[in-house]
Amino acid sequence: MTIRDKAISGFGWTAFEGIFSQGVIFLVGIVLARLLTPEDFGLIGIVTVFIAITSSLVEGGFSEALIRKTNVDQIDFSTVFYTNMAISVALYALLIMFSENIASYFEETELRSLLNYSGIVIIINAICIVQNAMLTIRLNFRILSIINIVSSLGSAIVALLMAYWDYGVWSLVSLSILRPLIRCILLIINGKWKPVLIFSLERFKELFGFGYKLLISTIINTVYKNIYYFLIGKFFSPTALGYYTRADQFQAPFSVNITRAISNISFPILASLQNDRPRFKTVFIKFLKFSVLINFSILLAIAAIAKPLVFVTIGEKWSASIFYLQLLCIPGMLYPLQKLNLNLLTSLGYSNLLLKIEILKKVILIPLVLFTVSFSIEIVLYGLVVFSIIEYFINSYFAKKLIDYSVFSQIKDILPFLLISIFTFLPMFLISFTSLKYLTMLIVQVSVGLLTFYFVNEIIKTKEYLEIKTKALEVAKKIFNERNKKN
């Protein structure tokens, strides 16, 4: 199988898993939003900040170091496993130790027990980091996708039952714990790998030498991504944070999963081409174009249907989330581009440069956040939009030096897909000003959006659209022929 075929297959499986898994979680979120309060979601949002930061500390960049290393072996795997386990146990102990102080800081006593129970996720994730890296190295995204689908479905069922039985915020806790637990168990069963009693200090230094810079940049980036949960929860209220988290959870399943699919596939493939710069550049540009074709259209469509989408799915009590959602779609559009440009640095071995970039961006971010948080949540989100645009220009700057692909060239390649997305967005958004009932409005908007997207793409006929269309027709034809053979 060629790299192109592996990329298409990997993206197909990862995208399918992302749509299915996040679709399940999204639907569960809708049901839970009707059963629970904005404050419940706000409390979990605060817990998410601390779990995300500690989880990034556990991985320590070792996963990327394993994937990038060309001659990885059992000694490397076992060394990383024991390192991850030691760090995860220490961090979980620290989280328990300081959980009462965190609860006091946010003036929410229930946070202590929520953190103590949810924190077990840190150890769960550490157990199966190696198995996940092994499957990624082999580009076995089919197995990874199936595992993620099963874990999402199983945890969702339990969370719904707990919410129905009035367990309140603990139904959200069960969702956050069971999903990684089921995933970890399935990875262990499928991976058929066990650590051996070997720890190599030499291998640790080698992997950590590359990974620690990624670790620091990951921590900085994780803090940045979750800082808004922290600040809104502290300076406003858990209820306000609940509105923010629900808005974010409407766009995140798309932007995050498209980014994850692009990132998971692009990193091992680009790493394998690190010594062939011309081919590396060609593959990088293809990844970039495919990501914006899909992500721009979806995120702008979500911004267009935000009003009826919120009212129909989770009800009028969440109306404050509508404007938040529309603003969050802008940084969501840029998220795959941010990650792809950073993957360029990582796959070429420039983890030191990646770290410097992350530090530079946060030097810009900190005063911006401190300024906007003194006004209102809306101003905070405007600041987030401004920063995401600045961040893109910083991330993409070094592509010129490394693969002769300037920011201007990137924008030139992105522009046709942005225009397609805007042409799709406009008629959809205008319908939201009509007096149609919300369910009818949503159906009409989606229908108009799909038709507009199809006809605009048929007129412009970008190479990426035609390639996706051809592949889709091939799959449909194959399924049709197989059914005819059975009959």
Side-chain angles (χ1 to χ4, degrees), residues 370-430:
L370 292 176
F371 174 74
T372 57
V373 80
S374 61
F375 293 96
S376 65
I377 298 178
E378 289 78 11
I379 299 299
V380 170
L381 294 180
Y382 282 126
L384 173 59
V385 170
V386 170
F387 179 74
S388 67
I389 296 170
I390 296 171
E391 186 179 24
Y392 166 69
F393 282 101
I394 295 173
N395 288 346
S396 58
Y397 173 78
F398 292 94
K400 168 65 177 175
K401 293 186 176 182
L402 297 176
I403 59 170
D404 192 28
Y405 189 40
S406 65
V407 177
F408 176 78
S409 296
Q410 284 198 32
I411 294 173
K412 185 179 176 182
D413 286 338
I414 290 168
L415 190 58
F417 304 103
L418 177 60
L419 292 175
I420 290 169
S421 303
I422 291 173
F423 281 128
T424 305
F425 165 83
L426 287 174
M428 295 177 71
F429 185 61
L430 290 174

Side-chain angles (χ1 to χ4, degrees), residues 56-83:
S56 64
L57 279 167
V58 171
E59 187 169 330
F62 286 112
S63 180
E64 287 88 349
L66 288 173
I67 293 168
R68 188 178 180 275
K69 188 175 179 181
T70 55
N71 56 340
V72 66
D73 58 21
Q74 176 68 282
I75 300 174
D76 295 305
F77 290 134
S78 295
T79 299
V80 168
F81 175 80
Y82 292 122
T83 302

Side-chain angles (χ1 to χ4, degrees), residues 308-309 311-313 436-445:
L309 182 63
F311 282 138
V312 169
T313 54
L436 292 171
K437 291 183 178 180
Y438 291 126
L439 180 58
T440 305
M441 182 186 295
L442 184 61
I443 294 170
V444 172
Q445 283 180 305

Side-chain angles (χ1 to χ4, degrees), residues 242-455:
Y243 290 130
Y244 173 83
T245 58
R246 285 311 304 160
D248 192 44
Q249 287 165 7
F250 272 103
Q251 68 85 23
F254 298 97
S255 63
V256 170
N257 278 287
I258 291 169
T259 301
R260 184 168 63 87
I262 294 292
S263 178
N264 287 351
I265 297 159
S266 66
F267 180 59
I269 290 175
L270 291 174
S272 70
L273 299 173
Q274 58 188 285
N275 297 320
D276 185 354
R277 293 298 174 90
R279 196 175 176 199
F280 184 103
K281 178 181 178 181
T282 301
V283 173
F284 178 83
I285 293 172
K286 187 168 284 291
F287 275 123
L288 181 138
K289 289 182 177 180
F290 273 114
S291 67
V292 295
L293 167 64
I294 299 167
N295 198 56
F296 279 15
S297 299
I298 291 175
L299 268 294
L300 277 180
I302 291 172
I305 65 173
K307 181 179 176 182
L309 182 63
V310 169
F311 282 138
V312 169
T313 54
I314 57 178
E316 293 186 9
K317 69 178 181 180
W318 295 93
S319 59
S321 298
I322 296 170
F323 185 60
Y324 300 171
L325 172 57
Q326 290 171 330
L327 285 178
L328 287 172
C329 283
I330 300 173
M333 289 171 64
L334 296 174
Y335 190 39
L337 292 174
Q338 316 281 26
K339 186 65 176 176
L340 192 56
N341 275 286
L342 294 180
N343 262 4
L344 183 151
L345 299 176
T346 309
S347 56
L348 290 175
Y350 290 94
S351 56
N352 57 335
L353 184 56
L354 179 65
L355 175 57
K356 291 176 183 178
I357 289 173
E358 291 300 336
I359 293 172
L360 171 63
K361 289 189 296 186
K362 274 52 185 183
V363 168
I364 297 171
L365 172 70
I366 291 170
L368 180 64
V369 171
L370 292 176
F371 174 74
T372 57
V373 80
S374 61
F375 293 96
S376 65
I377 298 178
E378 289 78 11
I379 299 299
V380 170
L381 294 180
Y382 282 126
L384 173 59
V385 170
V386 170
F387 179 74
S388 67
I389 296 170
I390 296 171
E391 186 179 24
Y392 166 69
F393 282 101
I394 295 173
N395 288 346
S396 58
Y397 173 78
F398 292 94
K400 168 65 177 175
K401 293 186 176 182
L402 297 176
I403 59 170
D404 192 28
Y405 189 40
S406 65
V407 177
F408 176 78
S409 296
Q410 284 198 32
I411 294 173
K412 185 179 176 182
D413 286 338
I414 290 168
L415 190 58
F417 304 103
L418 177 60
L419 292 175
I420 290 169
S421 303
I422 291 173
F423 281 128
T424 305
F425 165 83
L426 287 174
M428 295 177 71
F429 185 61
L430 290 174
I431 293 169
S432 66
F433 293 99
T434 64
S435 58
L436 292 171
K437 291 183 178 180
Y438 291 126
L439 180 58
T440 305
M441 182 186 295
L442 184 61
I443 294 170
V444 172
Q445 283 180 305
V446 172
S447 302
V448 168
L450 289 171
L451 288 171
T452 307
F453 179 79
Y454 173 76
F455 285 116

